[in-house]
């Protein structure tokens, strides 16, 4: 059996020799910053299946109670105080070493940019929780202003311009991704020669199609996730440890 250390050396060599590395991150990269994932063993939905309703656009638009609960959840979200962890910092280091073409993240917490990854290389494919968007007129505004209104007593603050329903600028289940973000991510996946999938179950589509696009184009696939993913049998290397250990160890060897 090949040890993790030997595997890391090998993968570091692939990273060094790559023309274009594309990274995909999921909720698993932020758990060590204190933000729980949804589907992992300690996941928000694993512990409370009802919480899934808050992430579904149909429930959000049609049920005022879901919106009130969503605003309360946003007020106390751990991301407001979370700091990037060693895994986020390792990816920022990898970019400084010239080895990150594009970083596609499913996370909405902004921690990659906070760790030093360039905003123009990061695609927030599921949006950001740092802004709100009006579901009627499309106007966007800082989340902090809307949260101030909730703190002041508005349980479900409407859009100030048109009275429409406000929501965090994230992609809920049942909503389409932003077409240009998806097109950019697909192009990056189709033209990379190494694809790193980190802290994601690779089950949320269409993002979970990106490793497929990379494999079809002949790229190598490396997966680091605490649990098995459907792509593991097709990956060139799989790591199971915590990302806060695996990524700094890998990047130090690049
Ligand atoms: P997921 O919750 O489905 O899966 C996360 C995976 O990461 C799990 O398999 C888990 O075992 C693994 N994991 C957890 N901690 C890890 C660690 N320290 N090291 C290695 N692996 C670890 O996440 P997903 O597939 O990304 O999909 C959930 C969706 O929910 C995302 O698309 C995202 O939009 C949203 N979400 C975002 C955040 C955030 O912004 N931090 C948090 C929760 C959910």
């Amino acid at each position: 059996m090949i040890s993790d250390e030997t595997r890391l050396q090998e993968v570091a060599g692939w990273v060094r020799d790559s023309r274009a590395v594309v990274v995909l991150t999921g909720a698993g990269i932020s758990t060590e910053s204190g933000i729980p994932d949804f589907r992992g063993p300690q996941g928000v939905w694993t512990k409370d299946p009802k919480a899934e309703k808050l992430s579904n656009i149909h429930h959000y638009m049609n049920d005022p109670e879901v919106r009130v609960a969503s605003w309360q959840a946003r007020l106390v979200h751990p991301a407001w105080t979370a700091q990037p962890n060693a895994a986020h910092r390792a990816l920022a280091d990898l970019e400084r070493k010239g080895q990150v073409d594009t970083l596609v993240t499913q996370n909405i917490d902004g921690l990659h940019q906070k760790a030093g990854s360039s905003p123009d290389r990061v695609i927030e494919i599921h949006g950001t929780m740092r802004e709100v968007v009006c579901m009627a007129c499309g106007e966007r505004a800082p989340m902090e202003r809307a949260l101030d209104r909730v703190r002041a007593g508005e349980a479900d603050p409407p859009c100030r311009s048109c009275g429409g329903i406000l929501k965090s600028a994230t992609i809920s289940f049942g909503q389409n991704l932003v077409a240009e973000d998806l097109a950019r991510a697909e192009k990056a996946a189709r033209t990379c020669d190494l694809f790193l999938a980190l802290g994601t179950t690779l089950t949320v589509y269409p993002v979970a199609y990106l490793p497929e696009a990379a494999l079809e184009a002949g790229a190598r696939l490396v997966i680091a996730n605490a649990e098995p993913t459907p792509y593991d049998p097709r990956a060139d290397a799989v790591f199971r440890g915590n990302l806060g250990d695996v990524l700094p160890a890998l990047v130090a060897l690049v």
Side-chain angles (χ1 to χ4, degrees):
M1 197 168 130
I2 304 171
S3 73
D4 261 11
E5 182 56 35
T6 311
R7 248 301 120 78
L8 281 172
Q9 295 274 8
E10 188 182 23
V11 173
W14 297 345
V15 174
R16 273 195 307 274
D17 295 343
S18 284
R19 179 183 37 76
V21 179
V22 168
V23 183
L24 170 67
T25 64
I29 200 166
S30 292
T31 54
E32 289 167 81
S33 293
I35 305 174
D37 59 23
F38 285 165
R39 297 183 179 79
Q42 298 302 316
V44 174
W45 296 351
T46 314
K47 289 180 162 174
D48 177 13
K50 288 196 302 298
E52 194 164 348
K53 265 191 169 185
L54 302 189
S55 301
N56 180 300
I57 192 65
H58 303 293
H59 291 301
Y60 191 87
M61 296 304 289
N62 295 311
D63 186 345
E65 276 181 30
V66 167
R67 293 199 293 279
V68 170
S70 296
W71 284 111
Q72 288 303 314
R74 288 173 193 138
L75 272 183
V76 297
H77 199 287
W80 302 127
T81 51
Q83 295 302 320
N85 64 54
H88 297 106
R89 289 195 296 272
L91 288 179
D93 282 348
L94 191 61
E95 183 188 325
R96 278 190 286 273
K97 291 184 182 198
Q99 292 297 355
V100 176
D101 177 85
T102 304
L103 198 176
V104 182
T105 185
Q106 298 171 86
N107 296 342
I108 56 172
D109 55 32
L111 289 183
H112 285 303
Q113 296 91 322
K114 209 168 173 184
S117 289
S118 311
D120 55 348
R121 290 192 187 270
V122 176
I123 303 175
E124 293 180 306
I125 198 92
H126 289 164
T128 175
M129 58 183 284
R130 292 173 192 271
E131 287 183 337
V132 293
V133 63
C134 172
M135 301 306 289
C137 72
E139 190 171 282
R140 291 170 81 102
M143 171 63 80
E144 199 43 49
R145 249 190 271 156
L147 291 182
D148 282 343
R149 291 171 64 192
V150 179
R151 283 187 206 101
E154 286 182 77
D156 179 19
C159 173
R160 283 234 155 104
S161 300
C162 77
I165 292 175
L166 286 185
K167 187 180 113 28
S168 69
T170 55
I171 309 290
S172 295
F173 288 91
Q175 270 188 295
N176 289 329
L177 270 56
V178 176
E180 62 195 81
D181 288 345
L182 184 58
R184 230 180 111 202
E186 279 175 349
K187 185 172 177 209
R190 276 199 314 271
T191 53
C192 74
D193 53 356
L194 179 60
F195 191 99
L196 308 180
L198 311 172
T200 169
T201 50
L202 294 177
T203 55
V204 180
Y205 280 84
V207 173
Y209 170 71
L210 295 175
E212 180 72 48
L215 284 170
E216 279 173 13
R220 282 195 169 108
L221 173 63
V222 174
I223 293 173
N225 196 55
E227 297 176 292
T229 82
Y231 279 95
D232 289 3
R234 300 165 70 196
D236 295 276
V238 176
F239 297 96
R240 278 279 170 268
N242 282 332
L243 286 168
D245 300 323
V246 173
L247 279 186
L250 174 66
V251 172
L253 296 169
V254 172

